[in-house]
Amino acid sequence: MHQSKHIGIIGAGLVGSLLSIFLANRGYQVSVFERRADLRTKNSDQGRSINLALSTRGIRSLEQVGLAEEVKKLAIPMHGRMMHDKEGKLSFLQYGKKGQYINSISRAGLNQMLIDHAEKHGVQFSFGHRCTGVDLEKTNATFHVGEEVSMRKFDIVVGADGVFSAVRSAMQITDRFNYSQHYLEHGYKELEIPAGKDGGFVLEPNALHIWPRESFMMIALPNPDKTFTCTLFFPFQGTPSFQALSEPKAILKFFQDVFPDALVHMPALIDDFMKNPTSSLVTIRCFPWVRNNTFLIGDAAHGILPFYGQGMNAGFEDCRILNELLDLNHDDWASALNHFQTSRKEDTDAIAHLAFENFIEMRDLVADPQFLLRKKIEAKLHELYPQKWIPLYSMVTFNENIRYSEAYHTGKKQQQIMDDVMKTPGIGQQWQTLDFKEIAERLD
């Protein structure tokens, strides 16, 4: 249908690969360029998070390209958060309603599946191609391939090349382009809990495990090989910090004191901690996302923190929404892209706010009895009035029909209401006698 239009996508990560499938299905000629080696033959994702949480928004996008069921076979359901206190005592907080869950999935495994599927649909991938510039007037892209330099012309160029986007860099030197980046003072390091001696999981596999410790935390997600990928979110500097834990003795002492129940399952802790890279966490905001026939998508347009598990899901939702807008505008790209950036910007700003706020919640609050009681009350409200009171986490994670911005604003109203409810005298003992109908109606 659109073979005459050649689209160049910079970045063969999750979003670039999925978008290439959507566009190839529309009949476009699609070429994808990636600076890394082909991850199907060489691990080129070192330093990036190994596990991701796939939820409803991402699954809906995968459904539209016929991949959802195949992807689910690679995933492990996580039905809630399992909190670990310093003494190793466990408490479980269910996500949403019974039967609702998020999915732990390998970044590399999912990316490989998307690339394979895209190639079957005629998408051309070029690896080892580092984009070093984009001419926004001529829609040309320049690539370094080893010592060689080449320039390619397209009808449309897509920047799907992540938070350090070369395409966005070209936009940043144009007039009236707004850009900001904010680094968290925390970074992250991947560690591992191996399978048990019997070859099975050593922790509950159908949960996202959290060790909340107020100013920092560790999480663990299950893998199909019965291992867990742990991620330590930790300050770069200060006490404690990555800077302070530079010697094996200090690392071991810290884990003995702070994560004792995890340490017993981490025989390779010292090697992993010393060898694995420490990566930064950044929020990216920019606008506009479109310059002439070049546009940004995914992390290149709106890089967010990982604490709501929505980075990949938001990027996949970008692809689905853009595809729907192309339908709506009969492949008039100018109209579709204008609608895409103006409507989607509000939603991605909202999920960026929510991701930061969820970091505070996971780090500081999930072990707090008052917080857990608050969640119980909200779950009861949702059970009694499922259409009126939907908890914020459920709006974001399990309901793709609610925009991120709508969830954010409704969540703020709910927070104000619950702040007032939690002031009720004797709430801990009498919460089940609350007037839930009256509370739910306060949202009107």
Side-chain angles (χ1 to χ4, degrees), residues 39-76:
L39 57 77
R40 294 169 296 180
T41 58
K42 181 179 179 180
N43 180 13
S44 58
D45 260 352
Q46 290 184 353
R48 307 184 74 192
S49 179
I50 296 168
N51 288 74
L52 298 164
L54 176 66
S55 56
T56 303
R57 294 173 194 270
I59 290 170
R60 182 174 172 190
S61 302
L62 291 167
E63 284 174 349
Q64 296 204 349
V65 295
L67 277 176
E69 293 308 311
E70 193 174 345
V71 167
K72 287 177 185 177
K73 294 174 185 175
L74 301 178
I76 297 178

Side-chain angles (χ1 to χ4, degrees), residues 117 134 172 244 279 407 435:
H117 194 72
V134 176
Q172 284 174 233
S279 303
D435 187 343

Side-chain angles (χ1 to χ4, degrees), residues 262-438:
L263 177 61
V264 298
H265 300 301
M266 303 174 79
L269 169 67
I270 302 302
D271 285 345
D272 288 346
F273 201 99
M274 301 292 285
K275 176 185 66 179
N276 293 348
T278 302
S279 303
S280 59
L281 296 160
V282 65
T283 299
I284 299 289
R285 291 184 176 90
C286 67
F287 199 77
W289 298 351
V290 182
R291 279 284 191 250
N292 301 325
N293 292 313
T294 298
F295 72 95
L296 305 172
I297 197 167
D299 284 352
H302 49 77
I304 64 173
L305 301 175
F307 304 112
Y308 229 111
Q310 287 297 303
M312 169 184 65
N313 293 289
F316 282 4
E317 191 172 65
D318 282 353
C319 298
R320 176 182 64 80
I321 288 172
L322 177 58
N323 189 60
E324 290 171 356
L325 288 170
L326 287 169
D327 282 341
L328 188 65
N329 289 278
H330 308 290
D331 288 85
D332 177 341
W333 277 86
S335 298
L337 288 176
N338 184 58
H339 191 165
F340 175 69
Q341 68 171 348
T342 52
S343 63
R344 193 69 177 143
K345 170 69 171 164
E346 181 184 8
D347 292 324
T348 57
D349 282 351
I351 192 58
H353 285 299
L354 289 169
F356 177 75
E357 290 171 4
N358 208 45
F359 172 53
I360 305 303
E361 177 178 305
M362 293 172 73
R363 184 190 72 181
D364 298 357
L365 300 177
V366 289
D368 181 352
Q370 285 293 100
F371 172 81
L372 296 175
L373 175 59
R374 188 180 184 121
K375 292 298 181 185
K376 275 186 186 178
I377 295 170
E378 288 202 75
K380 188 67 175 179
L381 283 163
H382 185 42
E383 178 188 331
L384 295 172
Y385 306 100
Q387 302 306 315
K388 184 176 285 288
W389 190 288
I390 305 173
L392 175 60
Y393 188 87
S394 294
M395 285 191 282
V396 170
T397 307
F398 301 123
N399 196 325
E400 75 277 15
N401 295 316
I402 298 176
R403 292 177 58 180
Y404 286 132
S405 53
E406 182 185 347
Y408 178 76
H409 293 302
T410 302
K412 289 301 180 188
K413 289 181 186 175
Q414 291 175 336
Q415 183 178 12
Q416 291 173 352
I417 294 168
M418 286 303 300
D419 285 347
D420 188 47
V421 169
M422 294 303 291
K423 294 174 185 175
T424 304
I427 185 76
Q429 292 72 42
Q430 302 179 38
W431 70 271
Q432 295 191 61
T433 65
L434 290 167
D435 187 343
F436 289 99
K437 185 172 186 289
E438 184 275 330

